[in-house]
Amino acid sequence: MLSGSLEGGQISVDVQKEDLVRLVLNGAAVSCTYSAPLYVKQADKVVLILAPESENSFSDGSSYLFGEGEDEPSAAIFSKDDLTITGSGALSVTGNYQNGITSKDDLVITGGQLTVSAVNHGIRGKDSVAVLDGVVSILSGNDGIKSANSTDEGKGWVRIDGGSFTIESAGDAIQAETDLTINAGSFSLTAGGGADNAEAHSEGGYGGGPEGRGPGGAQQPPSGDLPDAASLPTPEPAAVSGGSAEASVGEENTPDSFKGLKAGTLLTVNGGGFQLDCADDAIHANGDISIAGGSFSISTGDDGFHADETLLISGGETDISRSYEGLEGSAVEISGGSVTLMASDDGVNAAGGSDGEEGVFGADRFSSSDCFIRITGGSLWVDAGGDGLDSNGDIIMEGGTVLVNGPTNNGNGALDYAGEMTVSSGTLAAAGSSGMAQSPGSGSSQPSLTVFYSSSQPSGTLVSLTDPDGNLIFSFAPSKEYQSIVISTPQLATETSYTLSSGGSISGSTQNGLYEGGELSGAAKLCTAALTDTVSRISDSGSSVSGGMGGTGGKIPGARPGSRPPQGSPAPRPEASLGTSFF
């Protein structure tokens, strides 16, 4: 058991390779000005046990004294072997030199109250980081929690099964070089100073987005100050004296990625509560992302969810209040859960969105690989300044509810696809400008009606359809002004006439502007629309509209249509593999 104060000294563990060492911390306060106050040189495993109701602290100096050719340790608590932190007491760690807590093997946290402040990474396990429980607070000049092994198979992962996390990081909040898995926990994460600290996107490029978000462009690092920079430990300049090196923090401290959750291969979330405020992507994987549960509140200077490969959402509740693009991946699949998002550019983008090497954030490049958006269930509400749903390949809707409040400028569309769009089930309402408006294709089995208005309709103006018996079958109030709308519901049938109305009020219940039940009153009847085919396009006077008004539009120059997954079969899932770039 360790208790009491030690100033200017070090606790060193150096035993046989097969030995297990348990250190009980019961009011231990250790500081060391020249090295790590706790240094595990060799052991099979070291277990730090935080005694109940105890308060313990470790802090180092801003420069370390090394022997010739040495560069370790590099953290206030540093272990060359496996390290486990457990118990119910409190542990405060200040890393003035580089990291707060580091294990060069596996790092496991099963409990305790951990407060870490570090000029570089807060908590770093080279081979892996596993957290079962605990209360963790981190303020870091680079990544908050990090696992960094990219060379050994089966290593470099982070798994969190519980606990509470408050992380304010100048770099990524939680980063795994390979897989990142979160099953439970409470997370308040601020990366890169938050969304307000992101570099503003310049207008231009495709669809009104920033110049270079297509081939050849790049984003800039966050502007302004990094979070609470003055609160971080401040390193002193490096110096050399007397045959031994006295080193301070080097270039490794400079963050070049500002994401909330980041994985090199596969990022999986099965549960947990997340408050994410990030200068860059809130949730990012160089491979696939799978969201099966959890509650997300997201504000980001770039993408809400970004997968270089497949983004799969099968559950959870997601609210993206601010983003450049809401959901992005080579393929985007939604089979469950609920998503509401606001995006200054595209709401959902399937465009081979891997990060290039240019700039700090990297440029999203359009890929020649197959891209598609596929929706089979769940609910999606989009408010987009660019395209609402944008696919470099196909859009397939086989269920769910999709409500799009699209662009008000005619350079974008509520729906934009380069391949085909088919609707076989579900409820779709996609409102926006008319200049580039696209409708579902003739391969759809569920009818759709596209209406083009002679003038822009004010936001909140109801669009309603009643059947020949006077039953209200559809009523939607777009949240922005609009001049076109695509409607497709299971209630629509071909060879049937429907009455199109505008405005008025309705007594039914609403979910994101879509009404269910109730009585419509005070609406102006515009026309009677006869659905003679699966795809019908009319003006607000009821006359048929061909490609001349709105056209197909919205296609990216040179885009290659993707191949469409077979109807009724699972969409292809690419194998997870290491991405081509790591920050």
Side-chain angles (χ1 to χ4, degrees):
M1 180 178 291
L2 301 176
S3 60
S5 299
L6 176 62
E7 296 183 5
Q10 181 183 76
I11 297 172
S12 177
V13 177
D14 190 0
V15 296
Q16 297 298 312
K17 188 62 179 174
E18 64 275 10
D19 289 345
L20 169 64
V21 177
R22 295 183 178 89
L23 298 176
V24 179
L25 305 181
N26 189 12
V30 184
S31 63
C32 185
T33 59
Y34 60 87
S35 187
L38 175 56
Y39 184 13
V40 179
K41 296 181 179 180
Q42 180 171 284
D44 176 47
K45 177 188 293 185
V46 170
V47 180
L48 295 183
I49 302 171
L50 308 178
E53 300 182 2
S54 67
E55 296 185 2
N56 308 277
S57 64
F58 290 82
S59 63
D60 60 8
S62 59
S63 60
Y64 278 15
L65 185 64
F66 294 115
E68 190 68 32
E70 294 181 350
D71 60 0
E72 293 177 343
S74 59
I77 295 179
F78 184 89
S79 176
K80 288 189 174 183
D81 297 295
D82 294 343
L83 177 65
T84 295
I85 300 174
T86 188
S88 59
L91 174 62
S92 175
V93 180
T94 303
N96 292 292
Y97 172 59
Q98 283 210 22
N99 303 334
I101 301 172
T102 290
S103 168
K104 293 192 68 178
D105 284 340
D106 298 323
L107 176 59
V108 177
I109 299 171
T110 67
Q113 302 174 51
L114 277 61
T115 302
V116 179
S117 177
V119 295
N120 198 30
H121 305 309
I123 295 176
R124 184 181 189 271
K126 181 179 180 182
D127 289 350
S128 69
V129 177
V131 183
L132 279 71
D133 201 356
V135 178
V136 180
S137 299
I138 299 173
L139 177 66
S140 65
N142 204 326
D143 297 338
I145 296 176
K146 180 183 182 72
S147 182
N149 192 333
S150 62
T151 58
D152 297 331
E153 185 176 357
K155 297 183 178 181
W157 52 267
V158 174
R159 173 169 173 152
I160 298 175
D161 290 309
S164 175
F165 302 83
T166 301
I167 299 176
E168 198 169 346
S169 62
D172 300 325
I174 301 176
Q175 190 259 334
E177 200 74 358
T178 56
D179 292 356
L180 170 57
T181 303
I182 298 178
N183 293 316
S186 174
F187 302 82
S188 177
L189 310 179
T190 303
D196 286 342
N197 209 35
E199 184 75 11
H201 293 273
S202 61
E203 295 301 319
Y206 301 135
E211 184 176 357
R213 291 291 287 187
Q219 295 178 325
Q220 300 299 316
S223 59
D225 294 331
L226 291 172
D228 288 342
S231 301
L232 291 168
T234 304
E236 297 174 357
V240 177
S241 63
S244 60
E246 192 175 287
S248 63
V249 181
E251 294 182 357
E252 185 185 354
N253 268 75
T254 305
D256 54 7
S257 178
F258 318 97
K259 300 172 174 64
L261 305 177
K262 179 182 174 183
T265 53
L266 173 64
L267 195 158
T268 302
V269 178
N270 295 315
F274 301 84
Q275 297 277 340
L276 302 174
D277 187 7
C278 308
D280 196 354
D281 300 341
I283 298 175
H284 176 104
N286 289 18
D288 299 337
I289 294 175
S290 175
I291 306 297
S295 174
F296 302 87
S297 178
I298 292 173
S299 177
T300 171
D302 202 17
D303 300 337
F305 292 76
H306 175 108
D308 284 2
E309 302 298 338
T310 298
L311 168 58
L312 174 61
I313 298 176
S314 59
E317 298 181 358
T318 298
D319 178 18
I320 302 174
S321 61
R322 173 179 174 180
S323 70
Y324 174 69
E325 292 185 329
L327 310 178
E328 183 176 54
S330 291
V332 179
E333 300 185 63
I334 300 174
S335 61
S338 66
V339 178
T340 64
L341 68 88
M342 300 189 70
S344 59
D345 195 52
D346 298 339
V348 180
N349 185 18
S354 57
D355 282 346
E357 296 294 339
E358 301 180 29
V360 174
F361 291 174
D364 294 342
R365 64 177 184 267
F366 294 102
S367 170
S368 61
S369 64
D370 295 344
C371 303
F372 62 87
I373 298 170
R374 184 172 186 172
I375 300 166
T376 60
S379 65
L380 172 65
W381 181 90
V382 173
D383 183 324
D387 298 320
L389 306 185
D390 182 1
S391 175
N392 236 28
D394 296 344
I395 299 177
I396 306 105
M397 186 168 175
E398 299 172 333
T401 299
V402 177
L403 308 175
V404 177
N405 302 277
T408 57
N409 69 81
N410 283 319
N412 295 278
L415 303 174
D416 181 4
Y417 56 92
E420 299 178 60
M421 180 175 181
T422 58
V423 179
S424 60
S425 185
T427 298
L428 169 67
S433 55
S434 60
M436 302 289 279
Q438 288 185 276
S439 304
S442 58
S444 300
S445 59
Q446 177 172 290
S448 68
L449 173 65
T450 303
V451 180
F452 294 91
Y453 292 84
S454 56
S455 61
S456 292
Q457 305 299 296
S459 63
T461 302
L462 282 169
V463 182
S464 303
L465 290 177
T466 52
D467 67 13
D469 296 325
N471 299 311
L472 183 65
I473 65 167
F474 174 86
S475 192
F476 176 60
S479 64
K480 298 158 65 176
E481 68 175 50
Y482 59 97
Q483 200 166 355
S484 72
I485 186 169
V486 178
I487 302 167
S488 181
T489 78
Q491 288 74 35
L492 289 178
T494 57
E495 306 302 328
T496 306
S497 295
Y498 298 92
T499 299
L500 173 69
S501 300
S502 179
S505 61
I506 191 170
S507 60
S509 61
T510 180
Q511 182 71 29
N512 293 325
L514 182 67
Y515 285 83
E516 181 178 352
E519 297 292 330
L520 179 66
S521 61
K525 177 182 175 180
L526 299 181
C527 64
T528 298
L531 273 62
T532 58
D533 203 346
T534 305
V535 180
S536 300
R537 292 160 61 91
I538 65 170
S539 70
D540 54 2
S541 65
S543 60
S544 177
V545 173
S546 63
M549 185 176 182
T552 55
K555 294 183 181 179
I556 297 169
R560 296 179 58 183
S563 64
R564 181 167 172 239
Q567 292 286 337
S569 64
R573 291 294 309 276
E575 291 185 7
S577 58
L578 287 175
T580 57
S581 65
F582 293 97
F583 296 118

